[in-house]
Amino acid sequence: MKTCLDLIGNTPLIELMSFDTKGSRLFAKLENHNPGGSIKDRIGLSMVRSFEKTGALKPGGTLVEATAGNTGLGLALVAATRGYRLILVIPDKMSKEKVQHLKAMGAEIVMTRSDVEKGHPDYYQEKAERLAASIPGAVYVNQFANPANPAAHEETTGPEIWEQMEHNVDAVVCGVGSGGTLTGLSRFFKRVSPKTRIVLADPRGSILAEYIRSGKIGQAGSWLVEGIGEDFLPPIADLSNVSHAYTIGDREAFETARSLLRHEGILGGSSCGVLLAAALRYIQEQDTPQRVVTFVCDSGNKYLSKMFNDQWMDEHGFLDRLKHGDLRDLISRSHQRGETITVGPDDTLKTACNRMKQADVSQLPVLSGDRLVGVLDESDILLAALDDPDTLADTVSSAMTKNPETVLPSATLRDLVRLFNHNRAALIVGSDGTFHGLITRIDLITHLRNRLDT
């Protein structure tokens, strides 16, 4: 009888047909089909087996790792089936879906800062290493320097691609997180197919592509793509066989991943957008048709609250939307686009309560048609229901604030702050009575942050 660990690897490879490839053929290896949902299942199993083989990891022992999420999921898969304790140190930019998935699998999460570089005590790798040293019998997995990491790809991923591509591969495009995938594939193809080019796909802000181009380690920036890109050279990363390196910005990566879903039906993660964009650039530069392989490294279901969420994309400036030059540009959930969470005056307070909880908001505009007739917040519901919970069956109109203060789109940022000081969100209503949406404190903070970034 097989366990889920026996399902790791042998993932499907398909040809992508909806992109302009100039006569070349572009293939994607669907690593999101691994049981843990990513390519990192391979190294999770390989590294744990290595510790078991050397005796460093005893039955019931503890694994500690620094991870952007997917290696943690691969380790959690192994830990759950083999009875190990797992502690993961994760940068705070990771998607909430990844964190929730890890917790559901029994991993213990230690969150740390994502705005610090190697050498800082809160840098996730250094924090994980210190933590492992403080726990008797624990091993620091250290995917960044663990030889079992590239070995997994040299022994499984590379041979699978070689067979699936019928021994004819012109280029393989991959990213570097720990460096295991690129290193393992480089070793395999250098041995069986020296003509196969290894192409690096790197998020803008990472130092790796520039290092390939110039041999110099530049200053790292920041990026929102998860799982690939680094601010240092990972010890196991052998970049000597990389022939091309492409830098891909967050926006291009997210748009490419979203296009993959729309046109190919493949729900890939954010790193997949970087890899696919780089593969397409490589193909466009070639004079002869190529057979190119890249990866869907993990599933996009871990990023539904991020790059597949229009509100998140808009907040980060990745959607081209009409700009008004006034406060309407600060509204994260526009009523005209059908994004505002509202209630009607005849809805029940229980309905309002459910919508607040589902949308994680504390205040709801009350609309009659498209006209604002009131506002309802948590304190209104609390006051109405405190003495008699049956009051939740009453209508919203019985508890809402009627004729609430509104703000014209032409008002200033200081007008918003004045409202915020009174613990109210700003209700933006035009001079013609049209309701546009709410502006909250975090909307204003996001606006100021975006101005700083531009």
Side-chain angles (χ1 to χ4, degrees):
M1 180 179 294
K2 289 187 175 182
T3 71
C4 66
L5 300 184
D6 296 306
L7 301 176
I8 294 173
N10 295 309
T11 54
L13 183 142
I14 66 168
E15 185 170 2
L16 303 180
M17 306 296 291
S18 63
F19 295 93
D20 180 12
T21 59
K22 290 179 54 180
S24 291
R25 300 181 69 185
L26 177 58
F27 300 85
K29 190 155 175 62
L30 304 183
E31 291 295 297
N32 56 330
H33 282 229
N34 282 305
S38 87
I39 195 170
K40 298 293 190 176
D41 285 6
R42 295 178 185 265
I43 69 169
L45 180 58
S46 176
M47 292 187 296
V48 171
R49 279 177 173 170
S50 176
F51 285 124
E52 291 172 337
K53 186 176 181 179
T54 63
L57 183 62
K58 306 295 184 184
T62 299
L63 297 158
V64 181
E65 179 60 327
T67 174
N70 282 326
T71 299
L73 287 167
L75 290 169
L77 198 66
V78 182
T81 57
R82 299 198 177 181
Y84 299 121
R85 180 188 180 195
L86 176 63
I87 304 174
L88 301 172
V89 181
I90 297 181
D92 57 16
K93 77 171 185 177
M94 296 304 107
S95 69
K96 66 181 181 181
E97 289 91 348
K98 281 185 184 177
V99 176
Q100 289 168 345
H101 191 168
L102 288 166
K103 288 182 176 179
M105 294 187 72
E108 300 171 38
I109 305 300
V110 177
M111 201 70 71
T112 192
R113 294 169 61 180
S114 59
D115 62 343
V116 294
E117 298 180 8
K118 196 171 181 64
H120 192 284
D122 285 332
Y123 189 67
Y124 72 133
Q125 293 170 36
E126 297 183 24
K127 195 164 187 174
E129 187 172 9
R130 291 197 311 272
L131 183 59
S134 70
I135 300 172
V139 294
Y140 175 38
V141 177
N142 194 8
Q143 59 180 309
F144 298 91
N146 192 320
N149 178 350
H153 299 292
E154 184 176 3
E155 295 167 6
T156 68
T157 317
E160 288 173 28
I161 292 171
W162 187 236
E163 293 303 319
Q164 290 168 319
M165 291 293 291
E166 299 177 336
H167 296 190
N168 185 5
V169 185
D170 292 305
V172 178
V173 181
C174 58
V176 166
S178 64
T181 305
L182 186 144
T183 300
L185 293 177
S186 293
R187 291 172 181 170
F188 175 80
F189 282 103
K190 186 176 183 179
R191 185 172 69 251
V192 303
S193 177
K195 76 159 190 171
T196 301
R197 293 175 174 175
I198 302 298
V199 179
L200 172 66
D202 206 33
R204 180 171 292 119
S206 169
I207 67 163
L208 301 173
E210 181 56 35
Y211 176 76
I212 294 296
R213 289 190 287 261
S214 68
K216 297 178 181 178
I217 298 177
Q219 182 67 38
S222 62
W223 59 96
L224 292 171
V225 168
E226 298 181 28
I228 61 172
E230 283 299 348
D231 53 9
F232 71 105
L233 294 178
I236 62 166
D238 179 1
L239 306 178
S240 61
N241 200 38
V242 175
S243 64
H244 297 70
Y246 297 92
T247 298
I248 307 296
D250 283 327
R251 179 173 182 146
E252 183 179 0
F254 297 147
E255 288 177 345
T256 305
R258 286 162 65 106
S259 181
L260 180 68
L261 177 59
R262 284 196 304 271
H263 301 298
E264 298 276 357
I266 298 172
L267 183 61
S270 58
S271 64
C272 161
V274 176
L275 271 59
L276 180 53
L280 291 169
R281 285 200 202 176
Y282 171 81
I283 284 171
Q284 295 299 321
E285 291 179 359
Q286 305 311 303
D287 296 326
T288 57
Q290 302 281 300
R291 288 167 60 85
V292 179
V293 176
T294 192
F295 297 88
V296 177
C297 297
D298 69 346
S299 172
N301 60 18
K302 299 171 182 138
Y303 309 91
L304 295 177
S305 64
K306 289 192 170 185
M307 71 173 183
F308 292 109
N309 181 335
D310 283 354
Q311 182 184 348
W312 185 90
M313 290 283 287
D314 191 35
E315 287 174 356
H316 288 83
F318 297 139
L319 294 183
D320 291 324
R321 286 182 165 169
L322 176 67
K323 297 297 182 183
H324 302 279
D326 56 31
L327 291 184
R328 284 174 290 180
D329 296 338
L330 278 68
I331 298 171
S332 61
R333 292 177 173 174
S334 166
H335 181 59
Q336 278 64 46
R337 294 194 296 265
E339 298 166 347
T340 308
I341 309 300
T342 67
V343 286
D346 296 328
D347 288 327
T348 66
L349 293 175
K350 183 178 180 180
T351 296
C353 203
N354 289 339
R355 290 184 187 174
M356 285 181 180
K357 185 175 181 180
Q358 291 171 356
D360 194 23
V361 297
S362 60
Q363 190 175 74
L364 293 175
V366 184
L367 300 184
S368 178
D370 285 329
R371 296 293 168 174
L372 182 73
V373 296
V375 63
L376 184 76
D377 63 26
E378 291 171 330
S379 61
D380 295 326
I381 298 175
L382 183 60
L383 288 173
L386 185 60
D387 294 326
D388 183 7
D390 289 340
T391 306
L392 290 174
D394 291 350
T395 62
V396 166
S397 61
S398 68
M400 71 184 189
T401 299
K402 298 182 175 69
N403 302 315
E405 182 177 1
T406 61
V407 179
L408 289 169
S410 59
T412 68
L413 299 184
R414 293 195 179 278
D415 292 326
L416 295 181
V417 173
R418 179 180 57 82
L419 280 174
F420 296 157
N421 286 338
H422 290 87
N423 294 317
R424 294 199 296 271
L427 298 156
I428 309 303
V429 177
S431 56
D432 60 353
T434 301
F435 175 68
H436 295 288
L438 290 93
I439 299 176
T440 64
R441 290 180 178 86
I442 194 62
D443 292 330
L444 177 55
I445 291 170
T446 298
H447 170 74
L448 296 173
R449 182 203 65 197
N450 289 343
R451 282 204 322 199
L452 180 66
D453 291 342
T454 57

